[in-house]
Amino acid sequence: MASFSIEDFVGDGVLKELIPKLLEEGWDDVPTLKIMNPEDMDAINMTQHQKDALEIRTYLHDRALMQYGDKLEASRKSLPELLNLSTEDLSSQFGMRRGHIARFTDRNNKCTDPLPKSYGLPARKLTVTPSRSNTIYKMQNVRKSFCRSSTNNDRSLEESLADFKIKDGYIFKGIVAAGPAEPRACGCIQPPPVVDNVAPYSAIENISVQRLTPEYKIGMERLVKTKTPPMKASELWRDKPAVLLCIRRPGCIMCRAEAHRLYAKKPIFDALGIQMFAILHEHIESEIKDFWPRYWGGVVVFDRTMGFFKALGGGKLLIDKFLSGFVFNPRAIANYKRAKSMGIEQNFKGEGEIKGGLFIVGPGGTGIAYQFIERNFGDWAPVAEVVEICARLKNQQQDEGDSSRSPQEHK
């Protein structure tokens, strides 16, 4: 699976010299860099070779084929020209393996969900000298595309959500969601029950947490150098809503795949004003270094008392055994195969039987808007549901802001 490190993404090609400019202009993480449009490229005076390189690397990143980035870029061919090469040429010129050639030439088969086709950054028409502050201007423009102030913007968001099809039998309950409870071992083993009610806000607000990493940006240190003091979890979403991805084990292939898949949508969450946190219940430094930023470029937080994981289980940890929960569970095996097809590496370090899930928490003390429970090992919260709930939070905040404004401000 392709890394979310900018340095890994640009490799040793022509984009490497652009890193200072990308940082200055706010193109400082991989998901955002991948949605650059032609006008954005012209705004920072990218050469045609650099434009072609970005298109090639974006395509390779979606297919977990970044190991061929430097060679393909050095050919000075555009992506359409490379896709028209024969199997023999791709193998002889670039050393591409036959299985990788099949993945490369299949334009529809991607190892990660792309951003919706209807989603994109609006063009920036700068009236000032380009600077780092334009990042704020960029994100303000993106947020406008999700507001309800115009019919076109409504349609854009609806089309974006429609592109994220909810599949695999997930049932959208509105607040609490989980994968289906399928029979195990021909019905001889019953799946563990899950809660039907959303966790009370009081169950999570005072959890003791500790930041282990910052949000990834170009050139950043791999881990926080000084150990940050513990704090209340409510500080994480004090000013802005947050998505909290509770990771069962950072070395798990299915957990890594879920984190990678969710973080790839970072530009959408940025546009909606949503923060992204990965929550761990174990602090193993080597595992964090392997996990961040390769599979997750957002902030990583240590849940010192497993409070979030207990909240997912209605006050107690959701624990499943490897034999009954995985070996005899066809759903979990299918989840494993899905993650393995994405080309993700794994290890078996750490505790792996405590189930995870996902929370979406509103700003301040407004409460939990959504929670997803990992009923089967490797169940993922459907991205469509997560984005939809985040969009509702955004619209709710705007409605509250509009109602609090005076009549003179509305004029």
Side-chain angles (χ1 to χ4, degrees):
M1 177 56 67
S3 171
F4 281 122
S5 163
I6 283 280
E7 291 83 356
D8 292 342
F9 181 83
V10 303
D12 293 323
V14 293
L15 294 176
K16 192 172 184 178
E17 63 195 58
L18 273 180
I19 286 181
K21 188 67 174 179
L22 294 172
L23 178 61
E24 179 184 354
E25 286 296 297
W27 303 101
D28 44 16
D29 61 72
V30 171
T32 305
L33 183 59
K34 287 171 64 178
I35 61 170
M36 255 190 155
N37 62 37
E39 292 182 47
D40 299 323
M41 297 178 194
D42 290 337
I44 61 173
N45 301 315
M46 288 179 68
T47 65
Q48 187 58 49
H49 191 193
Q50 289 169 335
K51 293 177 183 178
D52 289 340
L54 179 56
E55 184 180 20
I56 290 169
R57 289 182 180 275
T58 297
Y59 186 87
L60 294 175
H61 194 271
D62 286 339
R63 289 159 179 79
L65 294 172
M66 289 300 291
Q67 64 267 42
Y68 301 108
D70 289 343
K71 289 183 179 180
L72 294 177
E73 180 186 320
S75 71
R76 300 191 71 91
K77 289 183 171 67
S78 65
L79 179 60
E81 290 173 329
L82 291 168
L83 289 171
N84 286 327
L85 291 177
S86 66
T87 299
E88 291 73 18
D89 287 339
L90 289 171
S91 177
S92 61
Q93 294 182 30
F94 307 109
M96 198 175 289
R97 299 178 181 178
R98 294 191 69 85
H100 293 168
I101 292 173
R103 196 190 306 169
F104 178 75
T105 54
D106 186 349
R107 307 187 189 198
N108 297 317
N109 185 21
K110 303 182 180 181
C111 292
T112 184
D113 296 330
L115 287 168
K117 294 178 182 178
S118 54
Y119 178 85
L121 286 168
R124 260 77 66 202
K125 296 182 179 179
L126 303 180
T127 57
V128 296
T129 303
S131 68
R132 184 179 177 85
S133 63
N134 288 327
T135 305
I136 300 174
Y137 178 64
K138 171 185 67 179
M139 295 318 302
Q140 287 173 341
N141 279 337
V142 180
R143 290 190 185 101
K144 292 177 183 177
S145 68
F146 288 92
C147 297
R148 294 190 292 187
S149 57
S150 74
T151 304
N152 289 337
N153 288 336
D154 277 348
R155 190 177 301 115
S156 175
L157 179 54
E158 289 169 4
E159 290 171 355
S160 295
L161 292 173
D163 283 339
F164 292 122
K165 304 292 184 182
I166 300 179
K167 301 177 182 178
D168 299 328
Y170 284 105
I171 300 171
F172 180 29
K173 298 182 181 179
I175 294 295
V176 181
E182 296 183 355
R184 305 177 183 180
C186 300
C188 297
I189 299 175
Q190 295 301 316
V194 296
V195 297
D196 290 322
N197 299 318
V198 65
Y201 179 69
S202 59
I204 67 169
E205 63 176 330
N206 294 319
I207 294 172
S208 177
V209 299
Q210 191 172 15
R211 289 178 184 254
L212 301 181
T213 75
E215 183 178 11
Y216 173 77
K217 301 296 179 186
I218 297 173
M220 183 169 284
E221 290 289 340
R222 293 285 174 174
L223 292 174
V224 177
K225 280 187 174 181
T226 56
K227 195 172 183 180
T228 58
M231 63 181 181
K232 288 185 178 181
S234 56
E235 290 296 310
L236 299 176
W237 55 81
R238 180 180 58 188
D239 302 317
K240 295 171 62 178
V243 170
L244 309 172
L245 179 61
C246 299
I247 301 290
R248 180 164 42 83
R249 190 172 62 82
C252 165
I253 188 171
M254 295 175 283
C255 299
R256 287 178 169 185
E258 181 184 21
H260 195 283
R261 178 172 171 266
L262 187 65
Y263 185 73
K265 309 301 181 296
K266 181 180 181 292
I268 290 181
F269 293 111
D270 284 346
L272 293 171
I274 307 292
Q275 304 175 92
M276 303 179 74
F277 299 96
I279 310 294
L280 306 182
H281 62 75
E282 279 188 307
H283 184 183
I284 304 175
E285 189 162 316
S286 61
E287 289 300 283
I288 299 165
K289 288 180 178 179
D290 288 343
F291 181 71
W292 184 94
R294 181 174 179 81
Y295 301 102
W296 176 267
V299 175
V300 176
V301 175
F302 175 41
D303 179 355
R304 304 172 75 241
T305 61
M306 302 188 187
F308 285 106
F309 296 85
K310 292 175 183 176
L312 286 166
K316 60 182 181 180
L317 297 173
L318 285 171
I319 299 177
D320 214 348
K321 297 299 182 182
F322 175 76
L323 192 62
S324 59
F326 182 78
V327 176
F328 293 135
N329 186 351
R331 181 79 184 187
I333 292 174
N335 289 340
Y336 173 81
K337 291 179 179 178
R338 173 181 60 178
K340 191 172 180 62
S341 70
M342 297 169 65
I344 293 177
E345 298 176 355
Q346 64 175 325
N347 64 52
F348 298 96
K349 298 177 183 177
E351 201 287 328
E353 296 182 343
I354 298 173
K355 300 285 190 66
L358 181 143
F359 289 104
I360 301 175
V361 187
T366 55
I368 299 171
Y370 174 83
Q371 73 181 56
F372 180 87
I373 301 165
E374 185 187 19
R375 186 197 296 268
N376 308 286
F377 287 129
D379 281 351
W380 298 345
V383 176
E385 286 185 14
V386 176
V387 173
E388 182 178 347
I389 297 297
C390 290
R392 291 181 190 177
L393 280 177
K394 176 69 175 177
N395 291 333
Q396 182 181 356
Q397 287 179 275
Q398 288 174 335
D399 289 344
E400 291 173 354
D402 290 342
S403 62
S404 65
R405 292 166 61 190
S406 65
Q408 290 79 12
E409 290 177 305
H410 281 281
K411 293 181 180 179

